[in-house]
Amino acid sequence: MGPPRYSRIPFLILVIVLPLLLKPEHLGAWTAFLLLWSGVMVGVRTILRWSRVWLPLSVLYGLILLYFSGTENWPHVLLLISRLIAALLGMQILTWSVPPSDIVRAFEWFLPRLGVSLAIALRLVPRLEESAKWRLETLQERGFVEGDSTLSDLRTRASIWPGWLADSLDHAHDLGDAVQSRGILAPRRWRHGVRQRIVQFALGEDIREDGVTPHHFSDSVQLGLDLEIRLPGGRSVGRHKELLRGGSIVLLRGPSGSGKSSLLRLIAGVSPWQHPVSIHGKAHLSGHPVLGEVDLSDGPFDEAIACWIPQDPDRHGIAESVQREFNIARRLSGPWSQQEMLESLREWRLFSKLESKPEHLSDGEQQRLLLAAHLDPAQPVWLLDEADVHLDEEGFIQLGKAVVKHRARGGLVVVVAHRHARWERIADVEMSIGDVLSIQDYPSTWVESGDEVGLPPQSVLFSHEINPVRAGDLILVQGANGTGKTTLLREWSAVANLPWLPTSPDQRLLGMTVQEELDLQHPVLYQQSLMVDSTRSEEAEKIAVMQSALRLELGLSHLSMTTPVHDLSTGERRRLSLLPLLMRNPPILLLDEIDHGLDDETLAGLLSQINETRKKGSAVVVTSHSPDLTAWAKVCGGRIWRIEKGRLEEVSG
Amino acid sequence: MNWDSIQTWAMTPGGIAVWLTLLFGLFFGSLLINVDRRIRLGREAALIALLAAVASASRVLFAALPNVQPVTLFILMIGLHLGARRATAVAMLTALLSNMALGHGPWTFYQAIAWAAVGTSSAILRPLLVNWDGTKVRILPLALLAFVWGFLFDWIVSLSALAIYQSFEAFLTFIIAGLIFDAMHAVGNVLFTIWLAPSLHQLLWLHRRHEAGRWYPDLPMDTIERETRMAESRAEAYRQEEPLAGVERLDGGE
């Protein structure tokens, strides 16, 4: 609806110059035309929002001009302000009509790396808003804003600002690592010279950047490791002495915090110091399609060294739309290469989401998008860090096919997985890091059902005629990606005022350090922390004791109070975010993908805690794709709910 | 057109505005090109992006209060911790991003220049703004600098008026008309400094902490010693398993 792409600069000149030249009666007509145009383009509400900022400012400016120039000059001042508003509206039409990706692309021509920064910033802005909303939601869920005076409410809201900043920094670091591992900071290689590019640009043709074409790797792909990863205190978190060859799938196992993800980051060529760790030794990769032999200690590299799919898909997608994510990942622009994208989207069942924004996709869909766009067949080494956690069975089969195909090409695939039952069938080599874990049976217990405690709400995504939930019930919700499992928990929580735990623990962590987080877990503890006098009230003492007992049960008592929350492992953050829920002792506990990022031992401890909660009379609702958890739920006498084809139904037997 | 006429024009109000703009543009443009070439890590690009995103989001959030926004303080803190070049990059991205929501115009360019100057000033005045080891920020001098920049920033942005109206009188009217807004900006800066500066300082320290890791080409000595001991004990175990190893047979067989 805006001015066409190639006439934007003449349009900009027109909207600035024309209001200065027009007579008053024509100026009114021009302004009315612009208003009508913008109304059709963005809607009345957006125009009202725009005028809420600019109209008062213009009026105030006009009043000041009147004060200095004398009230007898009011027609001139009025005309001046009208011209100003007309010019502003014209420029705003241009701003509304240019998609941000066009600005990024134009920017990249002059300053390529800052262009990447701009792209990341565009992705971060909606995420920052979301993150602020999660934090306010968490405050409300923990009972902070009930009955507080406005001033105290404001003070509480202000207290989450440092935690919000630290979370945003962590997210930005993740995005930066993703950018680097994909070689997006590298100078672009173009097939044609400058002259040809100018001709193509003038004719409006697509210009394709050179990429590395997928090929069959010979048996030259090798990854040699002889290194040790150490924490700042000198504690070793992994000693690796391996020679991994192409044409194999390596399954990497180990407890949480044993350095699996750090090793993968290191092989991916991104900052190995997710936390300030130091790397001693050497790592060597041969068979890279562009660099050939790579000594990883020579990094950072401009090129992508390996294809790295990290944990938490919502923290590693770069673009503001599905299509743009593909364009960036595969460096696509021409119509033929777009075909490649469409085929890939169809394979990963994302075709209908082509125009969607990544933040509107479910976790599973975001994971599929990340895999579809970034599993680069040209890279000999694939590093999959818990890549299958959010995937349903169909998604995992698709991933399995891609992995096996890559192995057949001669590529090397390193997989980190806590729920390794799925991978054991296709893995060629199994490697253990840290203490070797014994195969852990999940603790099961049978709890008699009690009184009715609730019923899930009807949702836009599905309808149901489910029997009510009773005290002590264990309910496992299953369903394909995007069917509405998380929506069920979110809406249930909102309707029945129940606390719920999303998959990403960061959505429920408020503090910058462990101490701040523990204080912000309960209003009484927070009030206590603000007092100068360190003597605890009786109520605060009682809550602090309960919190300490739960920390001990969840294996969190060893944490230093000054540790930044984002330096903790995913498993530790997950358990920390579960604490306030257990402290409230709600009638129904709503937990989304509880097994994400947890090793077997930690998960067993958590499930044992859940069993205890059930015995105390709470019902527990868990969503999961894991076959292990399904088996556990059945052994515990749990109920299985399945969302399919817009219906939520109980699976009998 | 000869050199004298150019000199004469350069001393007129419009001329002053043009050469000042060109001078600022060239200086900060060169800083931008420089920072673009120096970015090697994705994390650096992402940090610049994050700071620009937070700054522009906060500017849009406070848009209802005329000229009260924390961007100036953000840029001051960035200049203080990350230097003038990165502050210039954040300044430009912030102007670009926030005006995507608030509306672009000639002021976008001048805002970018003015914020870049803000960041450069704090980078230069760093010894006065932090304590001896850089672990704490001094709120009072920072608030004073933020207050001064509340006025200076708006006057730099008003250079566009000098360039358009080509008259000192119009420029002065513009400046005087905006004095109330400038004062609001300055007071807002001081309040934001008191509220936000400590946590921003902590955030930028957190980022620096993540860069503390290094890659050493050799394994640590204790690891090598442990490996040697393990290899020796393995060899010893092997020797014990084969008691005849090393014994030469009389018949010469193996």
Side-chain angles (χ1 to χ4, degrees):
Chain A
M1 290 298 289
R5 194 172 177 181
Y6 296 104
S7 59
R8 282 173 192 160
I9 291 177
F11 179 81
L12 177 68
I13 296 166
L14 181 79
V15 295
I16 293 174
V17 173
L18 204 60
L20 296 175
L21 302 178
L22 286 175
K23 287 178 181 170
E25 59 271 24
H26 296 146
L27 183 69
W30 172 246
T31 312
F33 169 69
L34 288 180
L35 271 174
L36 196 68
W37 186 357
S38 49
V40 173
M41 197 165 81
V42 293
V44 179
R45 195 172 290 179
T46 312
I47 297 173
L48 282 176
R49 260 207 307 273
W50 175 82
S51 50
R52 208 172 55 193
V53 175
W54 286 106
L55 222 53
L57 274 178
S58 308
V59 170
L60 198 60
Y61 184 61
L63 288 175
I64 292 166
L65 279 183
L66 270 181
Y67 178 76
F68 283 103
S69 62
T71 43
E72 67 280 4
N73 282 331
W74 69 268
H76 292 291
V77 172
L78 189 65
L79 189 63
L80 185 72
I81 297 297
S82 309
R83 288 186 201 282
L84 182 73
I85 290 176
L88 283 172
L89 186 59
M91 284 188 278
Q92 190 61 44
I93 286 178
L94 198 65
T95 307
W96 281 326
S97 62
V98 181
S101 53
D102 274 17
I103 296 178
V104 174
R105 235 172 280 165
F107 203 79
E108 277 180 339
W109 278 84
F110 303 104
L111 300 163
R113 292 181 179 92
L114 286 177
V116 173
S117 283
L118 185 60
I120 298 174
L122 280 169
R123 180 81 175 91
L124 274 172
V125 170
R127 174 58 168 65
L128 291 176
E129 286 171 10
E130 280 287 300
S131 171
K133 271 184 208 159
W134 290 330
R135 279 169 169 71
L136 293 175
E137 192 184 299
T138 310
L139 272 184
Q140 204 164 4
E141 198 179 278
R142 293 181 186 175
F144 271 92
V145 284
E146 284 170 356
D148 273 357
S149 69
T150 317
L151 194 65
S152 134
D153 188 18
L154 264 178
R155 192 183 56 190
T156 314
R157 280 164 195 255
S159 69
I160 59 173
W161 152 262
W164 175 76
L165 265 186
D167 179 46
S168 308
L169 178 72
D170 201 49
H171 189 206
H173 278 167
D174 283 348
L175 279 176
D177 288 343
V179 161
Q180 192 170 350
S181 74
R182 292 166 197 165
I184 293 168
L185 283 176
R188 301 295 170 91
R189 293 179 303 274
W190 299 92
R191 185 170 297 164
H192 309 297
V194 175
R195 197 185 303 163
Q196 182 72 16
R197 274 163 55 192
I198 292 170
V199 171
Q200 282 181 312
F201 181 73
L203 295 175
E205 290 177 358
D206 289 307
I207 306 167
R208 169 130 201 201
E209 189 184 335
D210 273 358
V212 183
T213 44
H215 65 285
H216 185 279
F217 307 112
S218 67
D219 57 357
S220 63
V221 176
Q222 280 190 357
L223 178 66
L225 304 171
D226 184 9
L227 51 88
E228 184 176 324
I229 305 174
R230 289 188 160 202
L231 290 175
R235 187 169 74 84
S236 171
V237 285
R239 166 88 179 90
H240 307 280
K241 198 169 184 178
E242 309 285 345
L243 181 65
L244 306 174
R245 293 177 192 280
S248 57
I249 299 171
V250 180
L251 174 60
L252 201 59
R253 296 168 55 178
S256 292
S258 61
K260 302 184 296 298
S261 296
S262 294
L263 179 65
L264 256 55
R265 301 172 81 89
L266 186 146
I267 302 171
V270 297
S271 307
W273 36 92
Q274 181 187 13
H275 313 304
V277 295
S278 56
I279 315 295
H280 299 262
K282 285 182 179 133
H284 199 267
L285 171 70
S286 58
H288 190 273
V290 177
L291 303 171
E293 303 282 311
V294 186
D295 183 350
L296 290 175
S297 62
D298 289 343
F301 302 96
D302 286 337
E303 301 290 339
I305 299 299
C307 167
W308 175 53
I309 305 290
Q311 292 185 36
D312 295 333
D314 69 319
R315 299 171 76 94
H316 295 89
I318 298 160
E320 67 284 359
S321 73
V322 170
Q323 191 163 5
R324 177 99 175 114
E325 187 76 44
F326 258 92
N327 288 352
I328 292 176
R330 303 281 181 94
R331 305 197 170 183
L332 304 173
S333 59
W336 295 108
S337 42
Q338 295 285 347
Q339 185 63 30
E340 185 185 323
M341 171 182 80
L342 297 179
E343 279 170 16
S344 185
L345 284 177
R346 195 173 290 121
E347 275 177 15
W348 287 91
R349 291 190 292 120
L350 286 167
F351 194 69
S352 58
K353 309 285 179 187
L354 185 62
E355 299 296 330
S356 303
K357 290 188 170 186
E359 59 263 28
H360 296 155
L361 302 178
S362 74
D363 282 338
E365 285 167 339
Q366 284 191 32
Q367 185 71 50
R368 289 213 306 267
L369 170 63
L370 212 60
L371 291 165
H374 295 288
L375 276 184
D376 185 358
Q379 287 298 334
V381 179
W382 282 8
L383 307 163
L384 309 180
D385 196 353
E386 300 236 24
D388 64 319
V389 170
H390 300 291
L391 295 182
D392 54 18
E393 209 50 43
E394 208 173 324
F396 181 73
I397 290 168
Q398 185 61 36
L399 175 61
K401 274 187 203 168
V403 163
V404 170
K405 199 170 158 187
H406 192 62
R407 174 174 64 181
R409 266 202 300 267
L412 169 67
V413 184
V414 183
V415 178
V416 166
H418 286 307
R419 307 287 87 74
H420 33 75
R422 281 164 152 186
W423 289 102
E424 272 169 350
R425 276 173 266 163
I426 53 172
D428 302 301
V429 184
E430 284 192 31
M431 269 171 61
S432 293
I433 301 185
D435 301 329
V436 181
L437 292 172
S438 56
I439 296 172
Q440 191 92 29
D441 281 334
Y442 299 141
S444 57
T445 186
W446 191 282
V447 179
E448 285 298 324
S449 295
D451 300 333
E452 282 182 21
V453 284
L455 191 67
Q458 301 288 344
S459 167
V460 185
L461 291 175
F462 52 81
S463 58
H464 71 83
E465 288 160 14
I466 289 273
N467 290 330
V469 178
R470 293 176 176 281
D473 268 359
L474 171 67
I475 292 156
L476 188 98
V477 186
Q478 295 181 327
N481 293 141
T483 47
K485 298 186 295 299
T486 305
T487 311
L488 166 71
L489 300 193
R490 193 174 47 234
E491 289 185 358
W492 197 348
S493 154
V495 170
N497 193 24
L498 293 168
W500 76 291
L501 191 65
T503 313
S504 169
D506 303 320
Q507 295 182 16
R508 285 291 178 272
L509 293 174
L510 299 177
M512 195 185 231
T513 60
V514 172
Q515 180 67 63
E516 280 178 25
E517 173 56 31
L518 291 175
D519 288 340
L520 280 163
Q521 285 190 341
H522 200 283
V524 175
L525 295 179
Y526 177 64
Q527 289 300 332
Q528 188 69 46
S529 72
L530 293 178
M531 287 180 185
V532 184
D533 181 14
S534 60
T535 322
R536 277 184 181 156
S537 67
E538 200 177 321
E539 193 188 3
E541 187 64 39
K542 201 175 139 191
I543 293 166
V545 167
M546 183 167 68
Q547 193 184 44
S548 301
L550 282 169
R551 272 174 58 205
L552 190 68
E553 283 174 22
L554 290 174
L556 294 170
S557 48
H558 66 283
L559 297 181
S560 156
M561 290 295 135
T562 52
T563 307
V565 166
H566 290 88
D567 275 9
L568 305 178
S569 73
T570 312
E572 285 166 336
R573 275 184 287 160
R574 188 138 182 90
R575 281 175 280 160
L576 194 59
S577 61
L578 187 64
L579 259 177
L581 263 76
L582 296 176
M583 280 162 71
R584 277 187 66 181
N585 205 11
I588 306 176
L589 261 181
L590 304 170
L591 311 172
D592 197 9
E593 301 212 32
I594 187 75
D595 55 332
H596 177 47
L598 301 184
D599 60 50
D600 275 347
E601 205 173 324
T602 317
L603 181 60
L606 201 57
L607 296 182
S608 160
Q609 190 62 46
I610 287 173
N611 286 338
E612 289 302 315
T613 314
R614 285 173 59 211
K615 280 182 196 164
K616 286 178 196 162
S618 292
V620 180
V621 180
V622 182
T623 66
S624 179
H625 293 296
S626 163
D628 300 347
L629 275 192
T630 312
W632 167 76
K634 284 179 181 170
V635 171
C636 290
R639 297 161 62 183
I640 311 284
W641 291 357
R642 187 163 184 81
I643 307 176
E644 208 167 22
K645 295 175 186 166
R647 293 280 302 164
L648 170 66
E649 283 173 347
E650 185 150 357
V651 181
S652 54
Chain B
M1 183 183 286
N2 55 25
W3 178 243
D4 289 336
S5 61
I6 292 175
Q7 271 188 321
T8 316
W9 172 79
M11 295 316 291
T12 62
I16 290 172
V18 170
W19 68 252
L20 262 180
T21 306
L22 275 177
L23 205 69
F24 278 142
L26 281 174
F27 176 67
F28 292 115
S30 66
L31 289 190
L32 274 181
I33 292 170
N34 196 285
V35 74
D36 188 69
R37 287 190 179 167
R38 285 169 74 93
I39 293 176
R40 296 284 319 274
L41 289 173
R43 284 190 172 197
E44 277 185 74
L47 180 74
I48 289 171
L50 169 76
L51 296 168
V54 173
S56 43
S58 58
R59 184 169 174 231
V60 174
L61 190 74
F62 285 95
L65 298 173
N67 231 7
V68 176
Q69 29 86 5
V71 181
T72 310
L73 170 75
F74 269 87
I75 309 278
L76 275 174
M77 294 297 291
I78 293 157
L80 194 63
H81 284 88
L82 305 176
R85 282 179 285 218
R86 286 179 182 82
T88 306
V90 176
M92 194 200 49
L93 291 186
T94 304
L96 208 60
L97 264 177
S98 57
N99 286 345
M100 276 184 197
L102 298 175
H104 281 293
W107 53 83
T108 305
F109 178 70
Y110 287 92
Q111 280 170 344
I113 283 181
W115 276 321
V118 170
T120 309
S121 74
S122 68
I124 292 168
L125 297 173
R126 183 183 152 81
L128 299 176
L129 301 175
V130 289
N131 69 343
W132 66 276
D133 61 350
T135 51
K136 277 187 183 162
V137 65
R138 291 184 178 136
I139 297 290
L140 198 65
L142 189 68
L144 194 68
L145 187 64
F147 184 82
V148 172
W149 268 114
F151 290 92
L152 282 183
F153 172 85
D154 293 333
W155 295 346
I156 293 177
V157 176
S158 304
L159 269 181
S160 58
L162 187 60
I164 293 167
Y165 297 122
Q166 307 263 320
S167 108
F168 274 130
E169 289 74 23
F171 180 62
L172 279 177
T173 314
F174 205 82
I175 296 272
I176 292 167
L179 270 179
I180 298 170
F181 295 108
D182 303 345
M184 285 170 87
H185 189 182
V187 173
N189 281 351
V190 172
L191 294 177
F192 282 123
T193 306
I194 295 164
W195 177 30
L196 302 178
S199 47
L200 273 171
H201 177 76
Q202 213 173 345
L203 174 90
L204 292 164
W205 263 97
L206 264 184
H207 172 74
R208 287 201 153 180
R209 206 175 137 269
H210 281 271
E211 288 179 340
R214 290 286 174 274
W215 193 315
Y216 303 98
D218 297 319
L219 286 169
M221 195 46 79
D222 56 343
T223 306
I224 294 170
E225 281 170 7
R226 196 176 60 236
E227 296 266 318
T228 315
R229 276 201 302 276
M230 282 164 67
E232 279 171 1
S233 61
R234 247 198 312 268
E236 185 64 30
Y238 182 71
R239 275 199 292 277
Q240 281 172 3
E241 275 170 22
E242 293 198 28
L244 295 180
V247 176
E248 200 175 323
R249 286 178 60 160
L250 291 174
D251 59 0
E254 290 183 5

